[in-house]
């Protein structure tokens, strides 16, 4: 029984997934927050609602799955810290899944495509995928105009980022969210990493350096 959560975008996604119910598994609950940029306030209530809706007690969980991004520093950290806290409290393993991979796994396409999510600062996080959802490039961060560098202009682009820059690409499609239920499904197949964040750049707020000597 897996609890999955993702905070790599402005919205929080939480799911409860029964990985013992046959080959495909079963999504018992899937919730998404309706308040953007409220990660800290949303994670715990959504987890409780998802568990209650699924009829699953915390003690029934056998693993925690967290989206590792890439994503903005603060939101992504909330999800990964929450996942580690849940795992520590319950004594169950915590695993990570690249959030872009979760979007790609929900795409139905007969051609290669690119997944984009909002990186703020007028940039996008992105990675390229084959038609079967296999990642072809490492996650990167670029301006919208540079996302398709080296690719055909009519390459299909999907993911939450297309909602932020709807006119940046010739062809766009869904899904346009990161679904924690897909994170859980990928984790159930063994497609996991260590639960370490993919930041790709430094946080907005950094500790000041040592004061300069005055001569």
């Amino acid at each position: 029984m897996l609890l999955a959560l993702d905070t790599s975008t402005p919205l929080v996604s939480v799911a409860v997934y029964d990985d013992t119910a046959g080959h495909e598994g079963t999504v018992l609950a899937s919730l998404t927050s309706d308040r953007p940029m409220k990660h800290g306030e949303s994670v715990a209530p959504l987890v409780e609602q998802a568990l209650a809706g699924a009829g699953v007690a915390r003690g029934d969980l056998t693993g925690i799955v967290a989206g590792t991004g890439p994503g903005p520093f603060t939101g992504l950290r909330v999800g990964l810290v929450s996942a580690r806290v849940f795992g520590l409290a319950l004594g169950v393993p915590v695993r990570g899944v690249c959030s872009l991979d979760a979007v790609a796994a929900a795409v139905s396409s007969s051609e290669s495509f690119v997944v984009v999510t909002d990186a703020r600062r007028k940039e996008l996080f992105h990675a390229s995928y084959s038609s079967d959802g296999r990642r072809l490039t490492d996650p990167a961060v670029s301006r919208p105009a540079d996302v398709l560098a080296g690719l055909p202009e009519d390459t299909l682009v999907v993911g939450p980022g297309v909602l932020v820059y709807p006119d940046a690409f010739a062809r766009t499609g869904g899904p346009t969210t990161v679904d924690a239920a897909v994170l859980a499904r990928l984790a159930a197949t063994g497609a996991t990493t260590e639960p370490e964040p993919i930041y790709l750049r430094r946080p907005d707020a950094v500790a000041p350096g040592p004061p300069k000597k005055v001569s």
Side-chain angles (χ1 to χ4, degrees):
M1 198 73 66
L2 302 177
L3 171 67
L5 56 100
D6 186 89
T7 58
S8 66
T9 73
L11 300 178
V12 176
S13 178
V14 173
V16 179
Y17 185 87
D18 183 358
D19 58 342
T20 67
H23 178 68
E24 291 296 327
T26 301
V27 179
L28 301 181
S30 181
L31 300 173
T32 300
S33 62
D34 55 8
R35 297 190 302 161
M37 309 305 297
K38 298 292 184 181
H39 302 93
E41 299 93 326
S42 300
V43 170
L46 279 178
V47 167
E48 293 304 323
Q49 292 174 37
L51 289 172
V56 172
R58 289 194 178 199
D60 296 330
L61 296 173
T62 57
I64 311 294
V65 184
T68 59
F73 182 85
T74 302
L76 192 56
R77 183 175 62 176
V78 168
L80 287 164
V81 169
S82 297
R84 291 192 183 103
V85 169
F86 287 132
L88 183 63
L90 298 172
V92 298
V94 180
R95 292 169 283 174
V97 173
C98 174
S99 303
L100 299 179
D101 291 355
V103 177
V107 173
S108 177
S109 176
S110 59
E111 59 186 293
S112 59
F113 57 92
V114 172
V115 175
V116 294
T117 60
D118 187 18
R120 303 180 200 165
R121 304 184 194 175
K122 299 181 179 180
E123 292 180 319
L124 290 166
F125 296 119
H126 60 94
S128 297
Y129 292 82
S130 63
S131 59
D132 60 359
R134 179 171 50 89
R135 180 149 39 93
L136 302 175
T137 61
D138 291 332
V141 58
S142 306
R143 295 177 301 172
D146 297 329
V147 167
L148 295 182
L151 297 173
E153 291 185 1
D154 63 348
T155 297
L156 176 64
V157 181
V158 305
V162 303
L163 300 178
V164 184
Y165 298 99
D167 300 321
F169 307 105
R171 294 177 59 219
T172 60
T176 55
T177 60
V178 180
D179 187 349
V182 181
L183 287 178
R185 178 163 58 83
L186 288 175
T189 67
T192 60
T193 64
E194 292 298 315
E196 297 296 331
I198 305 172
Y199 287 134
L200 298 184
R201 64 187 182 203
R202 299 178 67 192
D204 292 326
V206 297
K212 294 181 180 179
K213 293 182 178 180
V214 177
S215 57

